[in-house]
Amino acid sequence: MQYDAKSGEWVAEGAIRVDQYPGYFAALKEGRTIAAPDAASHPATREFAKDYLPQHGVVSLLDAVIRIGGGVAGAVC
């Protein structure tokens, strides 16, 4: 879910694909927390700069990996 500040509503977000953003998913797979105050220039998130960031009005990202059984199960973004 994503909060839309313009409408004041939470909006369901579509999935992002590994083939679209391989650097981002590689960073998550390594289990790293991604703190990107400038997401357009951060090494793990700059792939989003062309479409995802401007489309959603995102400037900064903070993504924390969720681990289950010693492996990466997902991320909270």
Side-chain angles (χ1 to χ4, degrees), residues 24 27-29 31-36 61-67 72-77:
Y24 170 74
L28 291 179
K29 189 175 180 179
R32 292 191 278 154
T33 296
I34 299 170
L61 290 171
L62 177 61
D63 299 358
V65 173
I66 299 169
R67 293 181 171 90
V72 175
V76 176
C77 307

Side-chain angles (χ1 to χ4, degrees), residues 40-68:
S41 65
H42 189 279
T45 59
R46 65 178 162 226
E47 296 168 318
F48 293 114
K50 199 172 196 181
D51 52 14
Y52 186 89
L53 298 176
Q55 179 182 357
H56 298 287
V58 174
V59 176
S60 302
L61 290 171
L62 177 61
D63 299 358
V65 173
I66 299 169
R67 293 181 171 90
I68 297 176

